[in-house]
Amino acid sequence: MKLVTGATGHIGNVLVRRLLEKGEKVRALIWRGEDTSPLKGLNVEQVVGDVLDPASLESAMRGVDTVYHLAGIISIMPGSNPFVWRVNVEGTRNVLEAARHTRVRRLVYTSSIHAISRAPHGVAMDETLGFDQNNPYGEYDRSKAAASLEVQQAASKGLNAVIVCPTGVIGPYDYRGSELGEVIRSASEAHTMFYVEGAYDFVDVRDVVDGIIAAGKHGRRGESYILSGHKLSVRYMLDTVREVTGKAFARIKIPFSLAEIAARYTCWYYERTKSKPRFTPYSLEVLQSNSNISCRKAKIELGYRPRPIYETIADTVRWFVDHHRFKSAA
């Protein structure tokens, strides 16, 4: 039996699908009241639990040989966020403790490339940089780094745990609408697209899932593995969507200096309207940061092979179409 926390998220629901394809029995940890539509129609056992409730974790892990821990809170807002810290760090501590008590055979923690120490442009980012819990760029980055260090510490004390660090994840089965998923969907509907110059490393969610499963089988205890894809500019993404759909739409580049000024006010807007943040100083910083990211270690030790990014974008557009995810089709 495999347990997946965060099973309704983008990576989580694709991981559940892949495990089921492989003939595995899967149990999904579900927060009370959580929307489970991403798991609709899947033969998966759903148990209610919370990473902040140790008793529910131990109950969920009974009879489980492998735990895939993906549950967490993503935030691109500035400033401290106690809830992000509690879920991502304290929640991970609880998962590790429950795994020890229930004698789980293997634990795979999905961290983030943003947990790894930043390197200047011109220097390849890899696992040797280590995790930086004092990262100045955001609470999410710091919390994922701190959680990753907790996993490494648990592994040093005997827990058979391994860490994977995906870059920017895109791809089909994006039920909740990730930041880049929303960009692809809007472009697919031929909306006028405003963008800033910038690029980052993006990876197919299906390749990430294959990397997670491979890490569970072949990863060395206490080690971390970067699951990166390809450096991709926002302009290339928009051009690819145009090519796939055959629809023309206006693309308007916003000067970066103007975008920086605007981003100072968007955070206030998101907080006031309680809407999902899309455009913040953090997201701008990511697009300008070093995107020379190496997955050489994962390729050598896990057999990891990311697919062409064009295929990812094309499949994402087709998934939006086939599953009627366009707002105009609602």
Side-chain angles (χ1 to χ4, degrees):
M1 175 71 76
K2 313 298 182 186
L3 175 68
V4 180
T5 73
T8 62
H10 192 191
I11 301 176
N13 89 82
V14 179
L15 175 59
V16 168
R17 294 169 193 277
R18 189 74 176 116
L19 290 170
L20 291 174
E21 288 174 5
K22 290 178 171 291
E24 302 284 2
K25 293 182 178 180
V26 181
R27 181 179 295 162
L29 185 74
I30 306 295
W31 274 347
R32 189 175 302 278
E34 186 176 15
D35 177 13
T36 60
S37 57
L39 303 178
K40 184 178 180 180
L42 301 182
N43 184 23
V44 56
E45 178 188 352
Q46 298 184 21
V47 296
V48 176
D50 190 330
V51 295
L52 298 179
D53 177 7
S56 71
L57 291 174
E58 292 202 22
S59 176
M61 289 185 195
R62 292 195 184 103
V64 166
D65 62 89
T66 304
V67 173
Y68 298 99
H69 177 37
L70 291 86
I73 302 295
I74 298 174
S75 174
I76 62 172
M77 294 288 279
S80 64
N81 188 320
F83 185 60
V84 168
W85 190 268
R86 285 189 66 212
V87 172
N88 293 354
V89 182
E90 295 177 23
T92 297
R93 285 196 199 113
N94 291 338
V95 169
L96 295 170
E97 191 63 23
R100 279 191 288 260
H101 286 172
T102 56
R103 300 184 182 277
V104 166
R105 183 186 63 82
R106 185 68 144 162
L107 183 142
V108 183
Y109 173 57
T110 298
S111 183
S112 168
I113 189 63
H114 300 297
I116 294 177
S117 298
R118 302 292 176 95
H121 286 277
V123 177
M125 290 185 63
D126 63 18
E127 296 84 354
T128 63
L129 294 170
F131 297 108
D132 181 12
Q133 62 180 334
N134 297 313
N135 188 310
Y137 296 103
E139 186 80 336
Y140 172 72
D141 299 33
R142 292 187 290 272
S143 70
K144 295 298 280 188
S148 299
L149 291 171
E150 292 279 347
V151 176
Q152 287 186 329
Q153 184 178 26
S156 72
K157 294 179 179 179
L159 184 67
N160 191 4
V162 65
I163 302 167
V164 295
C165 300
T167 53
V169 178
I170 59 176
Y173 305 101
D174 190 359
Y175 286 94
R176 293 180 177 174
S178 61
E179 281 74 18
L180 265 295
E182 286 298 291
V183 170
I184 294 173
R185 179 166 72 169
S186 295
S188 300
E189 293 183 274
H191 293 165
T192 297
M193 299 299 297
F194 296 90
Y195 72 99
V196 295
E197 197 68 55
Y200 202 62
D201 187 289
F202 296 99
V203 61
D204 192 297
V205 64
R206 296 164 294 185
D207 296 331
V208 170
V209 160
D210 286 342
I212 290 172
I213 294 173
K217 291 182 177 179
H218 308 297
R220 290 179 289 135
R221 188 182 80 188
E223 293 291 320
S224 60
Y225 297 90
I226 290 176
L227 304 180
S228 58
H230 308 276
K231 183 177 180 179
L232 175 66
S233 70
V234 178
R235 176 61 184 259
Y236 176 84
M237 179 179 290
L238 297 178
D239 288 346
T240 303
V241 173
R242 283 184 63 164
E243 184 176 337
V244 170
T245 63
K247 297 178 181 179
F249 55 85
R251 295 158 300 177
I252 302 174
K253 185 170 75 171
I254 304 298
F256 196 82
S257 57
L258 180 60
E260 285 184 306
I261 294 172
R264 298 173 189 172
Y265 301 97
T266 56
C267 295
W268 173 85
Y269 168 79
Y270 294 132
E271 290 177 348
R272 187 176 181 84
T273 62
K274 305 298 183 184
S275 54
K276 186 175 181 179
R278 302 286 183 193
F279 175 65
T280 68
Y282 179 91
S283 59
L284 285 179
E285 186 277 329
V286 168
L287 289 176
Q288 295 296 305
S289 65
N290 182 8
S291 54
N292 180 14
I293 302 171
S294 173
C295 60
R296 183 173 181 272
K297 182 179 177 181
K299 285 182 175 180
I300 293 172
E301 298 190 19
L302 307 181
Y304 175 70
R305 293 292 183 273
R307 72 194 69 199
I309 199 66
Y310 182 94
E311 179 183 333
T312 300
I313 297 173
D315 287 352
T316 303
V317 171
R318 294 188 188 104
W319 184 83
F320 282 139
V321 172
D322 293 343
H323 290 78
H324 308 288
R325 307 299 293 187
F326 289 158
K327 294 178 181 178
S328 60

